Structure formats: C-alpha cells, structure tokens
Amino acid sequence: MVQSYLRHGPTQAFGLVCSASSNAVFNGKLAYVPALEDVLVWDVKKGAMLSMWHETGHRAEVTCIQPSPQSDVFAVGYADGSIRLWNASSGSVLTTFNGHKKSITTLAFDERGTRLASGSQDTDLIIWDVVGETGLYRLRGHRDQITNIRFLPSSSDLPSTSTSTAPGYLLTSGKDTFVKFWDLSTQHCVQTIVAHRSEVWSLDVSKDQELLFTGSGEGEVKAWRIDSEALSTGLRETDNGEVVKFIHAIASLPLASRHRVSQISFHPTQAYVSILSHDRSVEVFRIRTEEEIRKKMARRKKRAQEKKKLGKLTEEKEEEGDPEITLVNMFTPHLVVRASGKIRSFDYGADEKTVKAEFQLFIALNTNAFEVYTVPPPTKSKEELPVATRLYSVDLPGHRTDVRSLCLSSDDQILASTSNGSLKVWNMKTTSCIRTMDCGYGVCSTFLPGDKHVAVGTKDGEILIYDVASSTLVETIKAHTATVWSLHVRPDERGLVSGGADKDVKFWEFESKVATSDSVSKLSPSDGKILSLVHIRTLKMTDEVLSVRYSPNGRFLAVALLDSTVKVFYQDTLKFFLSLYGHKLPVLAMDISHDSKLIVTCSADKNVKIWGLDFGDCHKSIFAHDDSIMQVAFEKDSHYFWTVGKDKMLKYWDGDKFEGIQKLDGHHGEIWALAVSHYGNFVVTGSQDKSIRVYEKLDEPLFLEEERERELEQLYEAGIAETMNREDVAMDIDAEENSGHTQSAEVTAVSKQTTETLMAGERIMEALELADNERDKFREYEEAMAKLSEDDPMKMQPPPKNPVLAAYNLEPEEHVLRVIEKVPSTALHDALLVLPFGKVVSLMHYLNAWVQKGWNIPLVSQIMFFLLKVHHRQIVANRIMRTTLIPFRKHLRAALQQQKEMMGYNLAALQYMKRKNEGERVAHFYEEEDWDEDRVRARIMEGKKRKRVTLQT
C-alpha cells in the first residue's frame, strides 16, 4: 500500500509593518504599504492594520504601488513583471496585466486614470488601457532599468473623429543616464536628454507642468524647463532646419548631501518640493512666489547700498533694470526631516482644508516601520527656525532587524521571537504582538518550564531571563565570554545547558530566589521571588560550540563543534560516548527524535545527515538545500523532520524512508529560525525579511508520486512559457516588413505567455474540437436523412448530444462562446496566440455565427481584428478563409451599425435628461428668489446652489 502523508499549507504571515521592497502611499489617514507579496492598509492614527490585499498562491514581491485618479483603485507592480489593479474598499483584484519579463520598477496613471504606463528592469515601457483591460503598445528605447514615469497632458485636443491614439506626452528616466520624452499620439520618442553623468534615479514635474526636476546617483538635482508652446504646436522644424526641443536645461539645485537622490516629489497643492538624498533625512524646499523674490532682492539691494554709503564695499556692479530670478532664489531650503531609520520612500498626506500652511510627510523606513511628521510653515523670526515634529509612528508590530530565533510555549499558545535589539512575544491565535522587550543581539531563545519566563542567549555571551507577564528583565547572567549559540532545557525540566563560542558547554539549574525591594515592584509575582540560573558545571571543548541538545530520554548530550564534528556524551557523567564525522562544514543545528534513536544534523555544506544514536552510524546523507541549512527539528512523536535554509525554502522530510515529502516557499529572505508545534499541528519560520510565517497541517492527503509529478508539470509549463517569451521567437504583430528586425523596432505589441494563458489557449482548443465534432456528427446525420424519403423505415433517431453540451443544454456555438468569455480579457490575446492556424479557421466560423445572432459583439470584434492582424500573411497567402470572411464582413458591419445606433440613442437620452435637470434647477431658483435668468445660470455654474459637507467617519 502506498504511504500517504498530510499536506502542510501556508496560513498567515505576521510581524510585518512595512517592507523595503516598494514605495508606500499615504492619503492623510490611511497608509498603503508593501509587506513582501501583500499590501497592508494601516490606520496611521490608531496604529491598527485595517486590511491585507492578498492573492492566494501569488508569491512575487510587491515592487511598486501607485494610486489611480479614480477613487479606490490602486495599481500594484510585482517582481515577476505582473501588475494588478486592486479595489481598495473590497480588497479584491480588478484585473491583472502581464507584459514585462522582469520586476516592475515604476507605474504612472494619466490625469483621468484610463491609461497606465509601466516601466521595468527589462528596459521596456508599456502603455495599458485600464478600461479595455489590454496592453496598447510596448515602447523600447532605454538601455537600462526605467526608474520613473510622468504623464504630461496634451494641450491640443484632438477632434472626436480623429483616428489617432489618445494624445499626451510621457517623460521617463532610466539608469542609462537618459531622460526620454515620448509623444503618445505618434508612439515615438521625440527627445532624448543625456541628463546626468550617472544613473537618473528620480524625476518629478511641478504642478503647473512647467518645471522638471531630475536627480542622479551622484547627488545632483537638475532643473529643466518644459516648453508648453512647443508642446501645443507639436514636433516641427525651425527656420534653421533644427528640430524644436521640448525640454531645456535651466540650472542645478544645491543639496546638503551628495548621496543618491532616490526620490523627488512636488507637493500636490502647496508650494513645497521634497528631496530624499540621504539615508535618514528628507530635505524640504519652499517655492517662493515672484513677489517674495522681488521683495528679497529689493532688501538685498537696499542693504548693499547702505553698506556702500558706509564705505564697506569698494566695488559695486550696477544692475540695469530688474535682476533675473534664479532657481536658487525660487527654491529656498525650508527644513530637513530626520527619521529614526533608513528611509525607503516618502509621501504627502491629503491636503486638509485648514488655515494653517503645515502639511504631513509620511516616511516609510527600511527597518520594517513607518512614521508621519508634521512640517510647519515658515516662521517670521530668524531665531526660531521651523522644526518637523513626529506625529505618529508604527513600529511595535514587527522586528527592526532579522528574526534570529523562535520558541513556542508548551501549549503552543505563545511564540517568542528575538532579533538584534528586541524580544517580542506573540499570541499565536490572533498573531498580534502582545509584549516587546529590549534585549541585546538575541541569537537563541527558549521558554523555561511553566511558560512564564523566556531565556535569551545573546551575542555578548549573556543569558537574559525575562518575565513574560510583567515584560521585565528578571536577571542578566554573564554566562560566556563570547556568543551564546545554543540553549536547551533538560528533559527533567530542572535545568538547562548552554553552548558558546568560548569553547565551553555550561550546565545550569533553575533556582527561585528572593528579589530585592526595587526589583519586586516591577514584577508581577506577589511573593517577590524570581527565577534564576545557578551554574553547576562546565564541559571544556576543543572548538567553538554551535549547538547543544539533550536526548528526550535524558541519557545523552550532543554537542556540535566548529570543526564539523558532533560529540555525544553521557548526560550524567559527561563521559564521551560517540563522535559523528562526515560533514565537510560546521554543523549549525541538530535534533534528536522522541524515541532517542535518531539524531539529525544540518550543516553549512547544504547536507542533512541522519544518524543512529546507538552506534553513531550514518543512515543517510541528503543534499537538502541549495545553501546553508540553518535549523532542523523533528515533528512530535515521529521520524519526520523539518529543515530551513538560506535558500528561502522550508522542507519536510521522512527520516525513515529518507525522502523529501514537501517543499514550502513563501519567504523572500534567508530563513534563520524554525519552531515546530509541540502537538505537531503547525510549524513557524522566521526570516531575514523580518516576517514570521505559519504553515499548518491540513486534512488533505499527500502522495509522493503525485507531488513529484506536479513539480515536473510546473517545471515543464514554466519552460514552455519561457521558450515562447524568448526575444528571438517573439512575434512582431505590427510590423510586417520588419520581420527579422523585431529587436530594433521602437514600438511593438504587448504579449507575454504565462501558465494561465497557455491553459486558457488549451481550453479554447478543446472547446473548438468538441464543437466541431458535434457539428460534423449532426451534419452527417442530416445528410443521411436527406437521402431518405419521409416514410422510409430506415429513418432513425438523431445521435445523442455530447455529455458536456447536454449537461448545460448548450449548442456548440454557445459552448465555444462561454469558454472564451471565461478567459480574462487581459489574457485573451495571449491565449489566442496559442491557437494553430487550423483552429483559427474553425473559430472564424463561430465568430460569424455569433455576429448573426448578435451575441457579445464587442468581444467578437476584438477577437476578429486581433486574429486578422496576427495571421494576416497566411490569410492573404491562401483562399481558404474567403468563404467565411465575405459574409462575415457583411454581418459584422450590420451588427456594429446597430450597436452604434443604440449608443447614439442612449447618449441622446442622457443629454435630454441633463437638459431637463438643468431646466428644473433654473425654475426652482425663479420660484425661490427674484433673480433674472442670467444671474440664476451664473449661480448654477458656480455650483453654489447646495453646499455639500463631507463627513469623515
């Protein structure tokens, strides 16, 4: 009989406040921040997480977040090149765009939110139609990662009858030192500027669309003027025969630091610009008005004249007329906001309708936290300079640094985690942080018997004992002279053992001692007694001790050393029993099974070895991970064990059959820590990405053969998708004569094959095959019946319908339509690319049938035009589709004309309702007030008829 195991599945990730993989967005009340593969929504004032945007099965990290001008819509870019549009109120995915091959680096919406531009590490720029849910075109020109995108609205409105694409301009910057200016109506780059000597990391445009700021990797900010006059006339030549330039250099803006300028952002409503050019600070500049600058210049001139009269100045250049306003005069340093950690990004809060000119600055940190600062308006006096004050900070629900160790209480209700600087205690049911205590660099930890205390071993060689209930440090014991690498409680629960980098194994016993008067007040126990450790003996070793472990029966003590060996001693006499040789690099962790028969060791040499504890024989050596294996632990009452490694994987093994049971991914950093439930229900992991993840045992059985087949299928499908997405076989749909020159084309179509699109294409092919067979079967039956007379005894019943069609009571044409309608609109074009030409000919027949019946005309048109574009050469080369296309053209034109008439009728009805509404409002004013018609219309245009008050709950 085939042995089955129980499958484990990820349930939740916690301990994350704000990861450093992406920028964060703030609207004045709510913060939308990345949390590895999810987006978290925080109420900044309360410090509470309101919701999590999570898509099941999706593992790629969030790399960019961009709010849309349309309310409640956000575009989120991921490391796998996909973009998802999320609805903020429901927390669900509206649509998914797939077109980039590498990580998304920047996103931008146009002013109406109908188009989305995305830039990626693959150097491509893609324009997406948000309403139609399709990729419009791909623009190529940058030679390195695109870092920023900004839309510029076109000043010249195209007529409604124009066949040109939506107008507008686009500014992009890249790590190739270029800033490119794209004309979206012609889909070409019209100006390329070599902006800086190093990478251009940031870019932003002022509110009036006249100034452009760019920031480089060498700490330089340059200002550029956008020529609005040239934009309105378009691309043209001057009298000298030179092409008109749209962007002109002005000057550089001096900064306080020369670090990389990673973000430049103009305030959306107030006259401020903020620049992030230092790890821990944001420089805020105030934009002076022309009047302010003139006054300041006049004061300067007056002072200079007074000094001249006093004879302090020997020479003075006379200025003719008004002096020219320089960039330095216009942008004056206001203040510097200094954060508590390294800054990842910043954003402005929503502009509240207040009299004060202050604003809020939201800062997302690299240290798994975020802060909100209030930036005050400029002060009149020179003595009191404006200082930014920290308003809110959210940092408690997560560690600032890597999670280095985990330990569970005996009832699995409480989890303790340590990192460099803090010990946190978590409620496993609610996954909320219930205690945070300061500690040194905690490397190992364990709950002490009774679950009231936690012992932490630090890098300084100390063992710290904390009382969980009162969140206090009970005692600090200087146990070792170097790092305490391992702690383990004795099976009889009367003491523990510690191993350190000072080559000592020390044995300790628990003792309750009377606390001093000042320490009693801090503790919760009323009897005034605290738990302490008493050193009873020391075992000197020849090398650094990396791990210590008691056998569950209390007979043996295993000690792993830096020389790659494991020594086993008798626990009571400390006599040497066994030495386990075999690992090429040091053993980082080990565990002993519940029956004390097996010991499993994991090493930096990427191998796991299973040994018998009776004779020290190596049962099996398994190449388990692609990098160092950090922790290993047996599951309760079994020989199954778990391993975690620096390759970001958690793996489940059978220690008797020496087989891998399951691989679980999820972490985006090296996994340092592992804790297995005392009841075998779940496993917890802690990682360099600062997250703690729980994997729970499910009721679903797992068979090893099926698991291997599934892994092979995933590899095969990923391989097919990768092959089809290769540049040398990419299909250039738009350029016929440019075959063989796909790479050099500046504009190409947007297509990317994924596992989903391949499966969708296969489903369409299956539906076409099923429908074709059904039609052929009934046509043969009708032909056979046509040859027989009415009263011929050979007349027979029609053949039975296909079970699938019979079950849903569908005709073949309806079945094909239903299958195609279920394909997401974003994946439809890529799914149609999978179809061979034979199936395309078959699909054309169904398209004709749908048009005649008036079924989903927009979808039919979309499919038809795409197929004609893709297979144009084959359609022209043979006449096989002539019989289908001629009647199809006639039917489609009639159907589209009907659609046009319906839309025109609806539009006219809406315009009539609008006029009627306006007429009623005018009449209402006439009745209420004694005004003439012109005054009433002016009042209505001002929108003052009814004052609306927005209530915020």
Side-chain angles (χ1 to χ4, degrees), residues 708-726:
R708 300 294 165 270
E709 279 177 23
R710 194 172 60 82
E711 286 173 15
L712 286 171
E713 275 176 20
Q714 286 175 350
L715 280 171
Y716 175 66
E717 285 167 358
I720 291 176
E722 201 174 318
T723 307
M724 294 186 77
N725 288 325
R726 272 188 9 232

Side-chain angles (χ1 to χ4, degrees), residues 265 312-313 852 891:
S265 186
K312 287 185 180 178
L313 289 177
Q852 285 176 281
H891 297 144

Side-chain angles (χ1 to χ4, degrees), residues 278-295:
H278 190 267
D279 284 350
R280 289 173 175 264
S281 59
V282 177
E283 288 182 62
V284 181
F285 290 82
R286 189 167 60 86
I287 308 171
R288 289 179 174 146
T289 60
E290 195 173 333
E291 191 182 344
E292 271 185 275
I293 298 168
R294 298 280 180 215
K295 278 182 184 176

Side-chain angles (χ1 to χ4, degrees), residues 460-716:
D460 300 332
E462 296 174 338
I463 296 177
L464 310 176
I465 299 177
Y466 291 88
D467 182 72
V468 176
S470 59
S471 306
T472 51
L473 175 62
V474 174
E475 194 169 8
T476 303
I477 300 154
K478 186 65 183 171
H480 295 263
T481 55
T483 308
V484 181
W485 284 117
S486 184
L487 293 172
H488 193 221
V489 177
R490 215 161 65 202
D492 61 5
E493 298 187 345
R494 291 182 181 177
L496 62 80
V497 63
S498 65
D502 58 357
K503 305 180 184 178
D504 286 352
V505 177
K506 293 195 175 181
F507 298 85
W508 311 81
E509 283 197 348
F510 301 129
E511 182 188 59
S512 293
K513 66 177 186 179
V514 179
T516 55
S517 57
D518 46 309
S519 65
V520 170
S521 60
K522 293 189 287 184
L523 300 175
S524 56
S526 55
D527 55 2
K529 288 187 178 181
I530 58 172
L531 188 72
S532 178
L533 296 181
V534 178
H535 178 229
I536 51 172
R537 54 182 174 174
T538 302
L539 178 64
K540 295 277 185 186
M541 304 304 294
T542 56
D543 219 324
E544 287 187 28
V545 178
L546 298 182
S547 181
V548 288
R549 207 83 192 159
Y550 281 112
S551 63
N553 62 9
R555 283 191 66 199
F556 303 114
L557 171 74
V559 181
L561 303 177
L562 192 65
D563 63 4
S564 310
T565 63
V566 176
K567 311 278 189 199
V568 183
F569 299 90
Y570 287 102
Q571 187 266 130
D572 48 1
T573 61
L574 297 186
K575 275 189 178 180
F576 176 74
F577 174 57
L578 286 173
S579 188
L580 308 179
Y581 295 97
H583 283 290
K584 295 184 179 69
L585 289 171
V587 172
L588 301 177
M590 56 189 174
D591 199 13
I592 300 172
S593 62
H594 69 286
D595 53 9
S596 303
K597 288 184 179 177
L598 292 183
I599 178 169
V600 60
T601 57
C602 66
S603 165
D605 63 10
K606 310 172 190 175
N607 283 284
V608 165
K609 290 185 188 289
I610 302 158
W611 316 75
L613 202 54
D614 297 333
F615 306 105
D617 53 325
C618 181
H619 290 184
K620 188 70 174 176
S621 180
I622 305 168
F623 181 78
H625 288 260
D626 297 331
D627 209 331
S628 301
I629 306 169
M630 302 309 298
Q631 288 281 346
V632 62
F634 272 104
E635 203 175 70
K636 177 184 164 64
D637 297 339
S638 73
H639 285 176
Y640 304 152
F641 62 91
W642 293 90
T643 58
V644 293
K646 285 188 177 181
D647 60 354
K648 310 172 188 175
M649 296 293 287
L650 165 69
K651 295 189 179 182
Y652 190 31
W653 305 88
D654 186 336
D656 291 326
K657 295 193 172 181
F658 317 125
E659 285 186 303
I661 300 170
Q662 202 177 354
K663 295 177 186 176
L664 293 159
D665 56 359
H667 280 289
H668 297 269
E670 300 169 354
I671 305 178
W672 293 105
L674 169 73
V676 178
S677 156
H678 292 91
Y679 298 101
N681 300 334
F682 59 87
V683 61
V684 191
T685 55
S687 166
Q688 185 188 27
D689 61 20
K690 305 177 185 66
S691 72
I692 300 169
R693 289 174 186 264
V694 182
Y695 299 86
E696 203 164 39
K697 188 177 279 186
L698 311 173
D699 293 331
E700 183 186 343
L702 179 148
F703 298 94
L704 294 183
E705 288 298 319
E706 286 181 8
E707 195 70 9
R708 300 294 165 270
E709 279 177 23
R710 194 172 60 82
E711 286 173 15
L712 286 171
E713 275 176 20
Q714 286 175 350
L715 280 171
Y716 175 66

